Amino acid sequence: MGGHRPGWLNGTLAWATVIYLILPITIILPVSLTDQRFLSLPYERLSAQHYVTLLTTPAWTNAILQSAWIATASTLLAVVLGTLCAIGCWRLSRRSTDLVRALMLLPIIIPTITYAVGLYRYFARLGLLDSFTGVVIAHGVTGIPYVVITVSTALAAFDPRLESAARGMGASLGQTLRWVILPRIMPGIVSGAIFAFIHSWDELVVVLFIASRRVFTLPRKIWDGINENLDPAMAAVAVLLVGMTVLLLLMDLALRRRRTG
Amino acid sequence: MSAVAGHALSLQRVSKRYGDFVAVQDASLEVASGQFLTLLGPSGSGKTTILMMIAGFVEPTEGRVLLDGRDITALPPERRDFGMVFQGYALFPHMTVAENVAFPLRVRKLGRAERDAKVRAALDLVQLDRFAERKPSQLSGGQQQRVALARALVFDPALLLLDEPLSALDKKLRAELQEELKALHRRVGRTFINVTHDQEEALSLSDEIAILNHGHLIQVGAPETLYERPATRFVADFLGKSNFIEGEAEADAGGFVLRRGAARVVASGAPRAGRTLLSLRPEKIALLPEGATEDNVVEGRIASWSYVGTGYALTVMTPDLGNIRVHLPAWRIPVSPAEGLPVRLGWARDAAVAVAEDPGSPVPGGVA
């Protein structure tokens, strides 16, 4: 291995940055295990009581289930639309398709709050406010960019001769897509799906705007909880949220490693 | 599919233009059933474009493509039923060898038993039956090429199209696979259309060669015909090597005489007059021993020479005809070559052939 060994200053700075980044996340773990009835560090012993509350209080379990369902449904929507869009742009590959691809990235470029205000006006007219469908659509559409990015990257590495070969052997567009293109770009699709899921799983701003009484996702429940009371169950929820996200990211990492390995 | 194994293909006045760029200009071609035809030309000559028009991936700007007399110009590639071996093979990396070969059958919704039997037969045909469960990345270049062949032949295609099938392989392997490809063509008796820029490959594999340059189809014929009777300067130069002698021709008893300055060159063939270009192969010229004579005799000095294993390659500077390249079998050379050595060159009157200048190149006054 060549290269310089980092000096002590560099090393210290790097570690300080890492700690700065993960400290707020790690602090919630001991807080969630507190033996007190308010948001604090454990006084005498560790306790799992808030996890029990979390899993036995219908308000919390409902929120968890709702979030899971919304994330799953919106991921499905984002994956289907994003993949089709990426494949379409790749196949046509004109100047206009570059524009379309750039447009698809808008939801993550423009400030979420702007997007949320727009959605609010528009969903009110369509009667989609405070509905499961509305949130799924909103999260699905804002999840598309992640899928478009990862699938486009996978397609850039796809050998177009494979498509020609399939067609030359008599395969229809559908067969070529199913048996040749999709299997080749599957790692990109899965990656996109993971990011779209994470996006919906911890999205708050849009939900705050378009949901009121019926739709309570986990992030929104935490938000309300913080405003109303300082229940340590919230720390337990936060651990759950972070755990889920880390799990998904590790999955993505493992997939990438398998692809390059 | 009919019982006849091969199908006939014909191109009628086919052109392909991309904006102002002419990739193929007015090409007509007949490929008889069961034939092995090679499209030969340097890169950019339009040979691959013609193959892609036959395959259906490129739509001709003008002209028609006929299969057994049926117009297929507008038919998309997936409905033409042609097997194709792509440059670099285009094997599906996520499938095993067997799955790759089964792909065209899966597309055609064949039953499992029939599919397996055909895949096995196709892999047997290319001697890869032991590799059925491997992935393409676990095979050598030559083996991948054979998988591509098996995959292209497994569904009994009307035609087999090959796009530079041997170009990715090293020289020795290429020679081996040329033999195999030729044997395979004989065994399956189908119509093969091959694209290459390698003249040796074209000569050794093909029943017919179509030579292309700058988008023009210049000459079509059997390899022997093309080599012995090239129609144009380009053909004579691209297939093997050639000397060119230009002069004024006039008819004589056995054909014609070409005058160039003080020199006279007699040639057989149709009598002709006016400006004429002769092509003379280096290996058809002899070094004449003392006292011997020939139809044509030219004196000169050896300007340079090299030993190439099969013989000597000499460049002889002649006062009358300029530099002439001569190729002599090593064991038949009457002198030991040395620079500056005076020699007499001789060749029979039927050794040289008149060739035309090529379309697109400047035509010196009135070549027939």
Side-chain angles (χ1 to χ4, degrees):
Chain A
M1 295 280 267
H4 299 284
R5 278 188 58 81
W8 64 270
L9 186 67
N10 274 336
T12 314
L13 263 175
W15 279 112
T17 312
V18 169
I19 290 166
Y20 173 75
L21 281 175
I22 62 173
L23 200 61
I25 304 172
T26 45
I27 201 85
I28 59 165
L29 188 64
V31 169
S32 73
L33 293 170
T34 185
D35 52 355
Q36 305 298 308
R37 317 204 103 261
F38 49 91
L39 218 49
S40 66
L41 285 170
Y43 275 28
E44 283 154 23
R45 58 188 172 84
L46 298 180
S47 155
Q49 55 169 327
H50 301 297
Y51 286 92
V52 175
T53 320
L54 187 65
L55 296 173
T56 49
T57 315
W60 282 116
T61 50
N62 268 341
I64 293 172
L65 278 178
Q66 275 202 6
S67 259
W69 273 115
I70 286 172
T72 307
S74 66
T75 298
L76 208 67
L77 190 71
V79 164
V80 171
L81 294 180
T83 304
L84 288 178
C85 169
I87 291 176
C89 288
W90 170 76
R91 268 186 62 93
L92 297 174
S93 189
R94 300 201 189 101
R95 199 165 306 158
S96 58
T97 58
D98 285 346
L99 190 70
V100 170
R101 223 175 327 210
L103 270 176
M104 295 314 270
L105 303 188
L106 273 187
I108 53 172
I109 296 170
I110 57 172
T112 319
I113 195 136
T114 318
Y115 205 82
V117 172
L119 270 182
Y120 178 77
R121 302 275 310 171
Y122 174 48
F123 272 19
R125 212 168 308 157
L126 294 172
L128 286 170
L129 285 181
D130 198 26
S131 75
F132 189 82
T133 322
V135 178
V136 167
I137 291 174
H139 280 180
V141 169
T142 48
I144 287 176
Y146 301 99
V147 181
V148 171
I149 291 171
T150 56
V151 174
S152 292
T153 310
L155 281 168
F158 178 82
D159 180 356
R161 276 177 311 183
L162 297 183
E163 195 206 349
S164 298
R167 289 185 63 202
M169 285 184 278
S172 65
L173 188 60
Q175 288 170 324
T176 309
L177 202 62
R178 242 178 315 150
W179 293 336
V180 179
I181 300 178
L182 286 183
R184 294 300 299 153
I185 59 169
M186 197 41 91
I189 295 176
V190 172
S191 241
I194 289 173
F195 282 108
F197 190 94
I198 293 173
H199 161 73
S200 167
W201 181 246
D202 65 18
E203 204 289 325
L204 174 66
V205 178
V206 170
V207 172
L208 279 184
F209 272 79
I210 63 172
S212 61
R213 240 163 304 148
R214 262 181 298 158
V215 183
F216 256 98
T217 61
L218 212 43
R220 182 158 174 242
K221 183 83 178 109
I222 299 173
W223 175 254
D224 281 10
I226 290 206
N227 286 338
E228 285 156 21
N229 54 17
L230 293 176
D231 184 353
M234 268 167 340
V237 181
V239 169
L240 196 75
L241 271 173
V242 170
M244 183 80 172
T245 308
V246 168
L247 196 75
L248 287 169
L249 284 175
L250 286 178
M251 234 170 85
D252 187 54
L253 210 65
L255 271 168
R256 275 163 206 269
R257 188 156 306 161
R258 220 183 59 187
R259 196 177 347 157
T260 53
Chain B
M1 261 340 40
S2 64
V4 183
H7 292 257
L9 183 95
S10 117
L11 297 183
Q12 295 183 338
R13 310 206 59 177
V14 167
S15 296
K16 179 66 194 179
R17 285 186 291 274
Y18 296 97
D20 287 338
F21 176 71
V22 181
V24 175
Q25 177 70 48
D26 201 9
S28 295
L29 186 63
E30 297 290 332
V31 191
S33 165
Q35 213 174 40
F36 196 129
L37 175 116
T38 296
L39 297 162
L40 175 68
S43 57
S45 59
K47 55 189 192 300
T48 302
T49 309
I50 290 191
L51 192 78
M52 290 302 164
M53 289 196 282
I54 296 172
F57 291 112
V58 170
E59 201 186 331
T61 316
E62 275 157 27
R64 301 196 302 161
V65 182
L66 306 181
L67 182 71
D68 298 329
R70 191 167 58 95
D71 190 339
I72 57 164
T73 318
L75 214 59
E78 57 268 32
R79 292 184 41 214
R80 292 198 180 190
D81 228 12
F82 295 168
M84 180 147 181
V85 174
F86 284 79
Q87 206 169 8
Y89 320 130
L91 298 177
F92 302 128
H94 56 289
M95 299 184 193
T96 63
V97 166
E99 285 167 345
N100 263 285
V101 176
F103 186 87
L105 306 174
R106 201 166 142 205
V107 163
R108 285 167 180 73
K109 302 192 168 69
L110 249 68
R112 166 134 257 154
E114 195 183 352
R115 188 162 67 181
D116 288 351
K118 285 199 170 202
V119 168
R120 219 169 307 125
L123 286 177
D124 274 349
L125 190 70
V126 295
Q127 293 128 46
L128 276 179
D129 32 320
R130 289 179 301 119
F131 297 94
E133 295 315 315
R134 298 243 188 128
K135 286 279 174 69
S137 58
Q138 295 167 300
L139 301 181
S140 71
Q143 289 167 336
Q144 291 183 18
Q145 197 261 0
R146 299 213 292 258
V147 176
L149 271 172
R151 189 177 69 169
L153 284 168
V154 72
F155 59 104
D156 298 326
L159 288 181
L160 182 68
L161 308 177
L162 303 134
D163 186 7
E164 308 236 8
L166 306 175
S167 65
L169 306 170
D170 63 65
K171 199 170 175 182
K172 198 147 182 270
L173 196 57
R174 204 152 61 208
E176 245 176 76
L177 283 164
Q178 265 177 34
E179 291 295 315
E180 279 186 30
L181 200 56
K182 200 167 179 172
L184 187 70
H185 175 247
R186 269 198 297 271
R187 269 205 304 281
V188 299
R190 284 176 198 291
T191 314
F192 280 31
I193 300 178
N194 178 37
V195 158
T196 187
H197 60 265
D198 181 341
Q199 45 130 338
E200 276 175 49
E201 181 188 321
L203 285 172
S204 77
L205 283 176
S206 325
D207 297 320
E208 291 241 298
I209 298 176
I211 294 204
L212 289 117
N213 193 26
H214 296 312
H216 293 271
L217 193 58
I218 294 175
Q219 192 179 4
V220 185
E224 300 86 341
T225 314
L226 256 60
Y227 191 83
E228 298 297 333
R229 300 264 153 233
T232 73
R233 177 197 276 264
F234 174 77
V235 177
D237 213 23
F238 195 72
L239 268 189
K241 292 188 173 112
S242 186
N243 294 294
F244 294 102
I245 305 168
E246 204 180 331
E248 289 293 327
E250 59 189 60
D252 84 341
F256 59 93
V257 186
L258 191 86
R259 285 181 201 286
R260 182 192 163 97
R264 289 175 85 242
V265 176
V266 294
S268 54
R272 51 196 296 141
R275 203 130 191 96
T276 296
L277 186 67
L278 277 185
S279 154
L280 178 61
R281 298 283 185 198
E283 72 274 15
K284 293 188 180 175
I285 304 172
L287 271 193
L288 296 179
E290 204 69 40
T293 190
E294 250 301 1
D295 296 341
N296 293 293
V297 178
V298 174
E299 293 187 356
R301 284 173 188 278
I302 296 177
S304 64
W305 63 277
S306 54
Y307 177 65
V308 291
T310 53
Y312 285 96
L314 312 179
T315 304
V316 177
M317 174 60 208
T318 68
D320 294 335
L321 299 174
N323 279 341
I324 292 185
R325 286 189 291 183
V326 184
H327 194 273
L328 295 164
W331 56 288
R332 275 289 163 80
I333 192 157
V335 296
S336 17
E339 274 167 37
L341 189 74
V343 289
R344 286 165 67 233
L345 305 178
W347 63 91
R349 71 181 300 154
D350 60 355
V353 285
V355 295
E357 285 290 349
D358 290 273
S361 56
V363 179
V367 169

